Amino acid sequence: KVIWGDDWDPLIEADRDGLLVQRMNDAVDGDYQKYSVEPGSYTREHFFSTDPRLLKLVEHLSDDEIHRLRRGGHDPEKVYAAYQAAVEHTGSPTVILAKTIKGYGLGDAAEARNITHQQKKMDTKAVKEFAERFRIPIPETQLEEVPYYRPPQNSPEIQYLCERRKALGGPVPRRMISCPSVSVQEPDLFDEFRTGTEGREVSTTMVFVRILSKLLRDPKLGKLVVPIVPDEARTFGMESLFRQFGIYSHIGQVYEPVDRENLLYYREATDGQIIEEGITEAGSMSSFIAAGTSYASHGVPVIPFYIYYSMFGLQRIGDLAWAAGDMQTRGFLLGGTAGRTTLAGEGLQHQDGNSHLLAYPIPNLVAYDPAFAYELAVIIREGLRRMYEKQESIFYYITLMNENYAQPPMPEGVADGILRGIYGFKSAGSANGKQKVHLLGSGTILNEAVKAQEMLAEKYGVHADVWSVTSYKELHRDALAGARWNLLHPEETPRVPYVTQVFGEGEHVFVAASDYVKALPESIAAHLPGPLHTLGTDGFGRSDGRAELRAFFEVDARHIALAALYQLMRAGEVNATMIAGAIRDMQIDPARVAPILT
């Protein structure tokens, strides 16, 4: 404890009966703040006058000397002694409790006063008092300029500072990293995900578990992979990894698990590779940061895959996610059961409609919302290449769904579009001279866009192309970079955002549907070569099934098709009567209260 400065030491030594220490303990923080802003006479009257013997202790001190009795945190010698004791102590952690005064040294205008944080300037009188109080040798004639003071180069202070800076590596601190590069060129790790599932329905979560399993078994990468889960390993279908790779426990398995007779029982081991933290997203994220920064801390390129319910990620531990970016953590965050309508029958706490928007502020977080197995494989492979082969200081957020559907084969030439944020998934061919309709889908809602495409063609004779948007953030980032370059290079040929390039020339109308709030697709609206109508999951809503929930949020195939017809009406291609008929045909209730208001 560094509570009282050395000015108090003679008083404490002279206090034979312990009265002063008792008075110190009786006074509350508010009292001490008051003593700090009032003159010494106030402290004498209200602090020491509670007992004649206390008054006797300070009768030799003037009011000014009483006022300047320091707190321990402002006594350099005591602070030094405390840190020396902490450094020399071994065997247990050390905490230093140092008592200080807010605004110390700012004078009567701000010291210990509640306006300290609003105090932006000091007048000449306050500067003079500050210089005198801390014995800073600045001529009074220069005080109005508030000059910086630097001791002479040969002074003990500067010599000490230079010696310490030299010992720390020089005047400009830099991160010293010695970590080997890891090649991820083996194509067979990911090739199986390009062929699709031939009609068999699986979720992207199960696709990820398959990818993770292959990585863990890889002779070169396997030992570097660290799966991290808070508590939902079985929810994500990861129990198949328990038996072979084990759950890490520094004391091993000290009990017999209830599922011991099962093939895939809960196996803990001192050499286990899976980290299962229990229900603590903060603890799991801390493990992710520790593993993801091991390339810098220990020169070991550990590859963490932290999978969790997406709603309990960026929303719940946002500060730690920002810290991960600030610390240049590398690795993969996997938001499972992602999207507001993917998890049938769950309550509001699980419905994630905002995590991709929360990923926007973290500069080095690369975010993707893949719909299909091949998209996920391309993204993870590129993440491994960028982070562990090229050693870029980025980390990934990838959302995974628990909805089962057939995984299609990978079309030719789409890898670049997957990584840049958008590619053409299913074209309807010529628009027959009409405005081109583009349906933008992402994640599980991409399947609804495909259904809407078929509905438009069969019932209304409208040809629409379906696009898979794998990353609104990457498209947004690319557009911002191009806009900045154009601003700073007015004489050069303007750069065109990638999201603008992919659609080419002509008249276009757009409908974007996702399982997230509408602000997500609207972030690229200014860069599309035509008007955009967005569908998203703003508001509260719950239901016993996905179809009902998507109808409630108006992101199902019917509402996507209706939005496309509406866009064509605005473009003068169809009339309002047709739209009204379509609303009746689709059994959509125009009088229903909007989801965002419920």
Side-chain angles (χ1 to χ4, degrees), residues 112-165:
R113 298 182 186 273
N114 292 336
I115 56 92
T116 299
H117 286 297
Q118 282 73 46
Q119 183 76 17
K120 307 303 181 186
K121 295 182 179 180
M122 298 170 65
D123 58 25
T124 303
K125 178 176 178 293
V127 173
K128 181 180 179 181
E129 292 175 354
F130 185 93
E132 291 175 350
R133 183 170 187 172
F134 297 107
R135 303 173 185 173
I136 303 174
I138 296 177
E140 189 170 341
T141 55
Q142 298 179 15
L143 289 177
E144 287 191 11
E145 304 171 13
V146 196
Y148 287 112
Y149 171 70
R150 177 190 172 97
Q153 188 64 30
N154 60 354
S155 66
E157 296 84 358
I158 293 296
Q159 292 298 309
Y160 172 79
L161 290 174
C162 289
E163 289 172 5
R164 298 312 308 148
R165 178 47 55 197

Side-chain angles (χ1 to χ4, degrees), residues 164-234:
R164 298 312 308 148
R165 178 47 55 197
K166 183 178 180 180
L168 291 171
V172 179
R174 58 194 178 102
R175 202 177 200 193
M176 305 294 289
I177 297 174
S178 178
C179 182
S181 174
V182 178
S183 175
V184 290
Q185 297 302 320
E186 294 79 357
D188 59 319
L189 274 173
F190 298 96
D191 275 354
E192 72 170 85
F193 305 103
R194 299 174 181 270
T195 59
T197 56
E198 299 179 344
R200 183 168 57 92
E201 295 187 345
V202 298
S203 68
T204 53
T205 299
M206 294 314 300
V207 173
F208 162 70
V209 173
R210 173 63 179 161
I211 293 174
L212 180 62
S213 178
K214 293 191 71 173
L215 288 171
L216 284 165
R217 291 180 173 89
D218 183 77
K220 183 170 63 176
L221 296 177
K223 64 181 180 180
L224 301 174
V225 175
V226 178
I228 303 171
V229 287
D231 190 51
E232 298 90 6
R234 292 190 184 276

Side-chain angles (χ1 to χ4, degrees), residues 292-311:
T293 54
S294 66
Y295 73 94
S297 302
H298 306 291
V300 180
V302 171
I303 309 172
F305 287 87
Y306 170 29
I307 183 170
Y308 52 88
Y309 279 3
S310 63
M311 191 62 162

Side-chain angles (χ1 to χ4, degrees), residues 9-68:
D9 289 348
L11 302 179
I12 295 173
E13 291 172 6
D15 177 28
R16 304 292 184 184
D17 302 316
L19 294 172
L20 180 56
V21 172
Q22 183 61 47
R23 182 68 185 105
M24 289 171 167
N25 292 334
D26 290 341
V28 298
D29 288 344
D31 291 331
Y32 286 117
Q33 183 176 5
K34 185 71 171 176
Y35 302 147
S36 298
V37 302
E38 296 292 342
S41 58
Y42 181 92
T43 305
R44 188 190 301 273
E45 179 182 353
H46 291 83
F47 181 81
F48 292 103
S49 66
T50 56
D51 190 294
R53 289 168 291 180
L54 290 179
L55 282 174
K56 183 73 173 175
L57 280 177
V58 294
E59 64 179 0
H60 64 290
L61 298 178
S62 67
D63 289 342
D64 186 61
E65 287 173 326
I66 289 178
H67 182 68
R68 293 193 179 279

Side-chain angles (χ1 to χ4, degrees), residues 384-462:
L384 291 171
R385 188 187 71 84
R386 292 183 64 182
M387 291 186 287
Y388 298 97
E389 188 173 323
K390 294 183 63 181
Q391 301 205 48
E392 293 184 41
S393 293
I394 56 176
F395 64 122
Y396 276 64
Y397 175 57
I398 305 173
T399 41
L400 305 171
M401 278 68 71
N402 67 324
E403 181 178 359
N404 293 325
Y405 47 82
Q407 301 293 330
M410 181 174 174
E412 290 293 329
V414 300
D416 183 62
I418 291 172
L419 298 175
R420 298 188 71 174
I422 188 172
Y423 69 94
F425 174 67
K426 190 174 182 181
S427 175
S430 172
N432 297 325
K434 296 183 178 181
Q435 297 254 6
K436 191 70 173 180
V437 180
H438 301 284
L439 307 180
L440 278 56
S442 53
T444 188
I445 300 301
L446 181 59
N447 294 310
E448 297 295 323
V450 173
K451 296 175 187 176
Q453 180 194 45
E454 296 168 355
M455 187 184 302
L456 287 168
E458 293 172 2
K459 293 187 176 182
Y460 306 102
V462 172

